[in-house]
Amino acid sequence: MSIIKRNHTFPSVFDDFFSRELINWGNNNFSASNTTVPSVNIKESAESFEVEVAAPGMDKKDFNITLDGTMLTISSEKQHQDEKKEENYTRREFSYQSFKRSFQLPKDVVDADKINAKYENGLLHLTIPKKEEAKKQGPRLIEIG
């Protein structure tokens, strides 16, 4: 059982070819709009799935985590504006960050009511517990009759 990643963008072959670095062709941390998409680690244990999202510089209020059926979506929007209040500025910097990552959870395996999330030291950590009947059972001795 594994969590399946869903992409929300479908870049063309030409966009993909010209936007990739020649030395780092396999770089998957950029979306079609060349914005950074945070890296994700997913680990499965007998008890749960552990999802880690690398998102430094964010606050926990910047994240939106939803579960729609078996589709888990982690998204964020953050807009930053330089605080200088000069009226005759010649340059003013605006910054906007957003991302959306979706994962298909295994059907009838996850205990949705007990999903836990915390953000600490630039890492969003989700614990997605499994239902009791979905947890891996140890080896069982079968009697021969």
Side-chain angles (χ1 to χ4, degrees):
M1 263 177 252
S2 64
I3 298 175
I4 301 168
K5 179 178 128 180
R6 299 279 186 216
N7 289 327
H8 292 284
T9 57
F10 301 100
S12 74
V13 174
F14 293 108
D15 289 342
D16 193 44
F17 181 80
F18 290 112
S19 66
R20 298 280 179 135
E21 295 175 19
L22 291 177
I23 297 172
N24 191 10
W25 181 256
N27 188 350
N28 293 325
N29 289 339
F30 291 92
S31 69
S33 62
N34 289 329
T35 57
T36 302
V37 177
S39 297
V40 175
N41 292 332
I42 301 172
K43 177 173 54 172
E44 182 179 4
S45 70
E47 303 290 318
S48 65
F49 293 100
E50 304 288 327
V51 178
E52 297 172 324
V53 181
M58 313 237 7
D59 293 317
K60 66 181 182 179
K61 65 178 173 28
D62 295 330
F63 295 99
N64 187 23
I65 304 168
T66 59
L67 182 63
D68 185 8
T70 58
M71 183 67 67
L72 176 73
T73 301
I74 304 167
S75 62
S76 175
E77 271 188 56
K78 185 174 182 175
Q79 187 171 353
H80 174 73
Q81 186 173 325
D82 191 7
E83 296 299 321
K84 293 181 182 179
K85 303 289 184 194
E86 301 171 14
E87 291 207 19
N88 286 332
Y89 52 87
T90 57
R91 181 176 174 173
R92 190 167 182 172
E93 298 288 330
F94 291 92
S95 173
Y96 180 78
Q97 292 176 307
S98 73
F99 72 87
K100 184 175 186 179
R101 302 284 305 259
S102 293
F103 304 92
Q104 185 72 47
L105 301 176
K107 188 176 182 178
D108 300 324
V109 172
V110 172
D111 191 348
D113 295 331
K114 295 183 181 175
I115 295 175
N116 183 0
K118 67 179 180 180
Y119 180 72
E120 180 171 81
N121 297 327
L123 194 64
L124 178 65
H125 183 86
L126 281 82
T127 302
I128 307 169
K130 294 179 181 178
K131 292 181 179 178
E132 282 301 318
E133 58 270 16
K135 293 180 181 176
K136 292 181 181 175
Q137 303 295 324
R140 184 181 76 147
L141 182 62
I142 300 172
E143 296 290 326
I144 300 173

